[in-house]
Amino acid sequence: MSTTSSSLTMLSLFLLLCAAFGNSRITTNHRKNVLFIVSDDMRAQLGAYSGPNFPSPIHPQMITPNLDRLASESLLLTRAYVQQATCSPSRTSFLTSRRPDTTHVYDLKSYFRKVGGNFTTLPQYFKEHGYESVGMGKIFHPGKASGGDDPPSWTLPYFHPRSKRHWTTKERSWYAATHDERKKRPLPDEQIVKHAVKMLRKLAPKAKSGQKPFFLAVGFYKPHLPFVFPEEFLAMYPPSEIHLPPNPYAPENMPSIAWTTYRELRMFGDIAQLGLSGDINTTIPSNVTLDLRRAYYSAVSYIDSLVGKLLAELDHLGLAQSTIISFVGDHGWHLGENGEWTKHTNFEQATHAPMMIRIPGLTDHGIVSDQLVEFVDMYPTIVEAAMLGTLPVCPEESSHIEVCTEGTSLLPLIFNRQSEASSYAFSQWPRSGKMGYTIRSSRYRYTEWPKFRRHHIYKPKWGDLAGVELYDHLIDPEENRNVAYDPEYASVRCELSLLLREGWRGQETN
Ligand SMILES: *[C@@H]1O[C@H](CO)[C@@H](O)[C@H](O)[C@H]1NC(C)=O
Ligand SMILES: *[C@@H]1O[C@H](CO)[C@@H](O)[C@H](O)[C@H]1NC(C)=O
Ligand SMILES: *[C@@H]1O[C@H](CO)[C@@H](O)[C@H](O)[C@H]1NC(C)=O
């Protein structure tokens, strides 16, 4: 987009927002609250994502009526990609609107304020604009990676459920908890919803009078391993309806650097006893695969039911029309497709994740967008939806800049569904001293694996690659065949390589 057309866009956007919020005089009474919901390891396999136009491999439908309802009143991003498919790097990225090469968070230990810069996070931005900002469960990666839930982000004490340790056993990869067990020790996410409801009730009066709006961040721990959920959810998925993945093998011509040995799953007692190596083109036995898929689906439906409770409480308190709701999973998850498990890859299954944003007055009838978008886009979108300004784009060196974005607001998608600008999504995954940089275009996924060092501003050595991958989603939506070396794809590869090396910044000027 040129500058003129984007400022025109901003102007029409502003007018639209004013109209949607019913008054051109914006007073504090009109400030919207935000309910920001994150689910851990939830891939984009919700009911709302199924159907002929769903761009990823077709999966059986999961039962997610509450998220489907939310989706039907939201801007639903069917092709949203995370910047790095693991917890802390992805969350740090979308909570600061900067990419891993700027936050310098590639692992589960580094804290962005120490290794990247003293960036203003999304909840902190609302805090600094007079909001009550409240967090619970898993928003930032806990512990060292966030200096303990990133204290500058919140105005009120952070909440952790007490039963977390009890239910996070390393003995079994999944468990259907009985009613009696839960009565004795509620599941962590059940405690989170209970606390969220309590907080909503507490925050409602001041939010409704316009005295103090809220930014309430609710981070669910599931469907992350171990898949623990109330046993009744298992009954939603009769074993006869659970199927093996169609492609339990690695892509043809895949470079070994692309592979994860899914240690995160293999270390659970029940999986460890199978003695699996996790090597390329080995996978988990069929009967165990079916059990894991069934348990994962059950855990997703369980989280869906908890989201339903939150939405019901918002309605009940009369806050639904004054609260923006966003829902995301922090990245996708391999459930045996390509023989892979967990995340930790650059494949579609790991980088593609659910994202939806409900903005009262703007998305009431639901808007489905299949534009390629990125998780760094969320922060500027929510800030604009709340009419709290437009974030400037970060310069190349932004470690000293507290507020800026390496994404783009998605609000234009609301009134211009078919954006004519072609778009790309960028993700990355580090492995063995290399960084796999990947670009998703509307038809292809293309990846290069150059050497990588953690220097502050590091330029990858593109001449020295440990692997190149190209998947043609038009004829191979499951990423079963790497065609990077096929002569007939030579010109496509060349074009995508240029785009990849230019990176997201290269797209800004187009
Ligand atoms: C980081 O920023 C916060 C507020 O934005 C400020 O209170 C704090 O002192 C800063 N920390 C450092 C190390 O600069
Ligand atoms: C994995 O197995 C499949 C199916 O047998 C085969 O086509 C593919 O080339 C193998 N991939 C690798 C990377 O060995
Ligand atoms: C899977 O099948 C094997 C052999 O057929 C059996 O020993 C094992 O107990 C089964 N595991 C599960 C979880 O059903």
Side-chain angles (χ1 to χ4, degrees):
M1 263 187 228
S2 74
T3 330
T4 354
S5 75
S6 57
S7 43
L8 271 178
T9 305
M10 277 319 302
L11 180 65
S12 31
L13 194 58
F14 183 73
L15 295 174
L16 210 89
L17 281 165
C18 290
F21 293 168
N23 202 325
S24 54
R25 273 180 311 123
I26 306 302
T27 67
T28 46
N29 286 359
H30 294 89
R31 285 191 297 175
K32 292 276 186 277
N33 310 299
V34 179
L35 174 59
F36 181 81
I37 312 171
V38 184
S39 168
D40 205 0
D41 286 12
M42 186 184 283
R43 65 188 208 164
Q45 193 183 340
L46 311 173
Y49 277 80
S50 64
N53 296 321
F54 181 64
S56 268
I58 305 303
H59 299 293
Q61 197 165 322
M62 287 195 215
I63 301 162
T64 54
N66 297 289
L67 285 165
D68 297 349
R69 192 195 111 200
L70 180 64
S72 74
E73 298 167 359
S74 295
L75 171 63
L76 175 68
L77 290 317
T78 63
R79 300 215 280 188
Y81 292 86
V82 301
Q83 273 43 74
Q84 191 185 316
T86 195
C87 180
S88 193
S90 176
R91 291 170 187 246
T92 301
S93 170
F94 68 69
L95 289 162
T96 63
S97 198
R98 302 186 206 214
R99 294 164 198 264
D101 286 348
T102 303
T103 65
H104 295 277
V105 173
Y106 307 105
D107 57 28
L108 305 184
K109 301 190 295 258
S110 309
Y111 182 23
F112 68 92
R113 294 194 195 269
K114 292 201 171 138
V115 299
N118 196 21
F119 308 141
T120 300
T121 67
L122 178 61
Q124 186 185 356
Y125 188 94
F126 280 85
K127 170 182 161 181
E128 288 172 4
H129 284 77
Y131 278 60
E132 204 75 88
S133 76
V134 194
M136 61 200 70
K138 189 162 168 185
I139 297 298
F140 292 90
H141 191 78
K144 216 174 146 197
S146 59
D149 304 303
D150 193 46
S153 285
W154 316 107
T155 59
L156 295 179
Y158 199 88
F159 174 82
H160 282 291
R162 263 175 301 127
S163 63
K164 174 125 199 309
R165 192 179 292 267
H166 173 78
W167 287 109
T168 314
T169 131
K170 293 266 181 261
E171 283 150 43
R172 49 202 172 207
S173 54
W174 68 276
Y175 188 69
T178 66
H179 183 76
D180 287 350
E181 286 169 318
R182 286 164 50 223
K183 223 169 133 189
K184 208 161 127 209
R185 279 203 187 83
L187 298 180
D189 290 326
E190 294 180 300
Q191 293 190 339
I192 287 173
V193 163
K194 205 167 151 199
H195 183 73
V197 165
K198 197 172 101 188
M199 285 314 301
L200 279 172
R201 290 180 184 162
K202 199 163 143 187
L203 298 166
K206 282 189 178 172
K208 290 173 86 169
S209 71
Q211 226 182 321
K212 202 153 182 84
F214 61 80
F215 181 101
L216 182 74
V218 180
F220 292 117
Y221 292 104
K222 297 295 137 183
H224 193 288
L225 284 167
F227 309 145
V228 179
F229 50 84
E231 62 181 351
E232 58 265 29
F233 288 93
L234 211 48
M236 287 183 170
Y237 299 98
S240 61
E241 285 175 22
I242 306 296
H243 302 288
L244 291 169
N247 56 338
Y249 43 80
E252 211 177 303
N253 296 321
M254 179 198 76
S256 59
I257 187 104
W259 188 258
T260 176
T261 58
Y262 50 91
R263 222 188 76 80
E264 185 191 357
L265 173 59
R266 288 189 297 112
M267 72 187 191
F268 283 90
D270 55 340
I271 307 298
Q273 67 167 13
L274 302 171
L276 306 169
S277 65
D279 288 347
I280 295 170
N281 266 344
T282 66
T283 190
I284 294 182
S286 298
N287 56 348
V288 181
T289 294
L290 290 170
D291 283 352
L292 283 168
R293 285 166 78 92
R294 187 174 179 220
Y296 181 86
Y297 295 178
S298 304
V300 168
S301 292
Y302 159 52
I303 293 305
D304 175 79
S305 77
L306 297 183
V307 170
K309 288 190 178 164
L310 281 180
L311 302 183
E313 186 63 24
L314 265 195
D315 277 339
H316 177 70
L317 292 170
L319 287 168
Q321 284 318 303
S322 56
T323 303
I324 295 163
I325 305 173
S326 71
F327 176 85
V328 290
D330 63 348
H331 44 72
W333 223 79
H334 293 269
L335 275 172
E337 295 88 0
N338 291 125
E340 276 288 36
W341 291 89
T342 72
K343 49 269 188 177
H344 308 145
T345 73
N346 272 327
F347 289 114
E348 192 74 7
Q349 300 292 353
T351 53
H352 183 206
M355 182 196 281
M356 59 185 86
I357 303 169
R358 176 186 175 279
I359 309 169
L362 280 190
T363 63
D364 297 348
H365 304 293
I367 296 162
V368 179
S369 173
D370 61 5
Q371 175 102 3
L372 287 156
V373 303
E374 303 175 288
F375 270 51
V376 281
D377 300 336
M378 276 237 304
Y379 184 150
T381 305
I382 294 174
V383 165
E384 275 186 16
M387 304 194 70
L388 294 183
T390 302
L391 267 63
V393 174
C394 298
E396 190 145 5
E397 161 56 41
S398 70
S399 58
H400 58 293
I401 298 176
E402 288 174 3
V403 178
C404 65
T405 177
E406 294 187 345
T408 325
S409 164
L410 302 177
L411 286 200
L413 296 179
I414 287 174
F415 60 94
N416 176 22
R417 297 174 195 201
Q418 237 75 56
S419 169
E420 68 285 1
S422 59
S423 66
Y424 303 95
F426 294 87
S427 310
Q428 61 193 96
W429 183 261
R431 201 185 323 275
S432 317
K434 314 286 189 301
M435 181 64 81
Y437 286 98
T438 188
I439 180 173
R440 182 68 161 90
S441 72
S442 127
R443 174 164 171 179
Y444 299 101
R445 169 169 300 291
Y446 179 72
T447 310
E448 294 187 3
W449 294 86
K451 263 212 187 91
F452 184 75
R453 290 217 186 86
R454 271 175 184 244
H455 290 164
H456 203 68
I457 292 188
Y458 180 74
K459 301 283 183 206
K461 304 242 181 318
W462 296 108
D464 180 12
L465 301 178
V468 180
E469 297 165 81
L470 175 60
Y471 302 100
D472 183 349
H473 276 255
L474 187 67
I475 55 169
D476 179 25
E478 293 172 344
E479 299 184 334
N480 289 333
R481 186 164 168 247
N482 175 18
V483 293
Y485 300 98
D486 283 22
E488 62 175 300
Y489 284 95
S491 67
V492 170
R493 172 179 162 172
C494 189
E495 201 181 304
L496 287 168
S497 178
L498 278 173
L499 286 165
L500 179 73
R501 293 173 187 199
E502 275 180 355
W504 68 275
R505 234 173 246 289
Q507 308 315 309
E508 288 291 293
T509 49
N510 287 349

